[in-house]
Amino acid sequence: MPAVAGLALLAALAGAACDDGESGAAAGATTDGVEIAVQQPEDGQAGLADIPAVVDQVRPSVVHIRAVLGGRSGVGTGFIIREDGYIVTNNHVVTLDGPVPAELLEVELTDGRTFDAEVVGRDPETDIAVVRIRADGLDAVPVGRSEDVEVGAVVLAIGHALNLPGGPTVTQGVVSAKDRPLATGGGPALQGLIQTDAAINPGNSGGPLVTLDGQVIGVNTAGIPQAQNIGFAVSSAVFVPVVEQIISRGGVVQRAYMGVAVTSVTPRIAQDRGLPVEEGVIVVEVAPGSPADRAGLEPGDVMVSVAGEDVTSVADLSSVLVQQQAGQTVDVVYYRGGERRTASLTLGQQPS
């Protein structure tokens, strides 16, 4: 999917804190029988006095990752997603911001054990990678629904910031905004990001963004060097279906293609444009000859459902498309002006 117009900022991907201290660079759906258990949110958040308890709960699931490629080395963070050794991190952590995986990956657990790791698969479009170590009985962190977390909710970012000794660093902040797009300057624009003012520094990338219920709602990914207290995490709505597909298909991420550039509807946009809905995605551009073009979609259309799934944001659309296959025909429900319409669209294969 073409990159949407996003923030006029370039992000510094926070994952590769080099050895000399300089910085480098929808949830719950089943895919071929592999499913990441996504927890339902608790009623309200735990009190602030419980933050040490949350950290104690999550810390055993947070790992230190060292990558070596072509004489360069860097470190990042990951978190254990399954007790049989599957770990989620950022693509740029395992590639050192390059196009290919590192020659050597080492994972250190909080108990001091160190393992060689292998890359199971990676997805540059979402900056997500899955690595695996040969170990069992590990502490897997629960995953929460980022869709249900409100702006202003307190969150914790946990990771190996600046490769400081003594275990992972914990920073506290709030969810500043949701469903942000972001141009990184070194690859495709990232979509469906959570913005937070919890400090995210080099070495943090790949670590969990955690609610006060102890649930991961994001993968810490990027900070903005020229801004204050602005960091970004890939939401669980985006990363869960990608991780499921990587595990189930042996690392191959296939994303169905519509051929549209889109942006999320917000209440302000809906009011300014007189839209009939306050949630959905606005078609900004349609690629000529694409599946969307052949189905009759036009710029200005507002999609609210694809393949029977509600689409309230760009993150939702990304989650739906990663669960579909090229060649499938799906119904697209959209508004053109005030008229609700349905189009039959045959999905294509995501271009390279």
Side-chain angles (χ1 to χ4, degrees):
M1 187 167 58
V4 304
L7 300 179
L9 295 170
L10 292 182
L13 298 176
C18 297
D19 291 346
D20 61 3
E22 293 182 347
S23 65
T30 303
T31 307
D32 295 345
V34 175
E35 184 173 7
I36 304 300
V38 178
Q39 310 295 314
Q40 293 298 319
E42 301 289 341
D43 293 331
Q45 284 194 310
L48 293 182
D50 291 330
I51 286 179
V54 174
V55 173
D56 286 344
Q57 173 187 330
V58 175
R59 191 192 299 270
S61 303
V62 179
V63 305
H64 181 277
I65 298 176
R66 177 174 176 262
V68 178
L69 177 63
R72 299 188 304 128
S73 66
V75 301
T77 306
F79 57 91
I80 299 166
I81 197 75
R82 287 188 3 179
E83 64 178 13
D84 55 349
Y86 286 94
I87 294 166
V88 175
T89 186
N90 283 135
N91 177 65
H92 73 266
V93 169
V94 303
T95 63
L96 293 174
D97 298 316
V100 298
E103 299 160 351
L104 172 68
L105 283 176
E106 291 181 345
V107 168
E108 182 180 359
L109 306 183
T110 53
D111 62 11
R113 288 183 292 165
T114 301
F115 297 84
D116 289 334
E118 60 179 348
V119 177
V120 178
R122 56 194 187 89
D123 182 38
E125 185 160 322
T126 56
D127 196 24
I128 292 296
V130 177
V131 303
R132 190 180 188 189
I133 60 176
R134 297 300 172 179
D136 290 302
L138 302 177
D139 293 304
V141 67
V143 178
R145 285 174 49 87
S146 57
E147 308 95 306
D148 296 335
V149 177
E150 297 180 349
V151 173
V154 176
V155 288
L156 307 175
I158 306 178
H160 291 273
L162 303 179
N163 199 25
L164 296 172
T169 295
V170 180
T171 56
Q172 176 189 334
V174 299
V175 173
S176 305
K178 296 171 63 177
D179 198 33
R180 291 290 203 204
L182 186 69
T184 64
L190 303 177
Q191 307 293 335
L193 299 178
I194 298 170
Q195 181 182 325
T196 180
D197 65 348
I200 297 176
N201 293 290
N204 265 119
S205 267
L209 187 69
V210 184
T211 67
L212 296 188
D213 296 323
Q215 298 174 2
V216 177
I217 58 163
V219 182
N220 299 323
T221 295
I224 304 296
Q226 65 269 42
Q228 292 185 351
N229 300 326
I230 294 181
F232 296 93
V234 181
S235 67
S236 61
V238 170
F239 82 72
V240 166
V242 170
V243 169
E244 289 174 341
Q245 192 173 132
I246 286 173
I247 294 173
S248 65
R249 296 181 178 171
V252 178
V253 177
Q254 296 178 335
R255 186 175 280 100
Y257 174 66
M258 293 181 69
V260 291
V262 294
T263 190
S264 298
V265 175
T266 65
R268 177 65 179 270
I269 290 174
Q271 181 179 7
D272 289 347
R273 299 192 182 187
L275 301 179
V277 293
E278 292 189 350
E279 294 182 324
V281 293
I282 303 171
V283 177
V284 177
E285 183 180 352
V286 177
S290 67
D293 189 24
R294 292 193 296 269
L297 292 179
E298 299 177 358
D301 291 343
V302 180
M303 294 188 289
V304 295
S305 174
V306 175
E309 299 288 337
D310 290 341
V311 172
T312 65
S313 65
V314 173
D316 282 351
L317 182 59
S318 177
S319 177
V320 170
L321 292 180
V322 83
Q323 297 174 62
Q324 309 303 315
Q325 300 292 319
Q328 282 184 291
T329 299
V330 299
D331 285 339
V332 178
V333 181
Y334 65 99
Y335 284 88
R336 180 171 295 167
E339 182 184 358
R340 183 181 173 98
R341 301 185 178 190
T342 301
S344 181
L345 185 151
T346 300
L347 296 165
Q349 181 66 52
Q350 177 78 8
S352 301

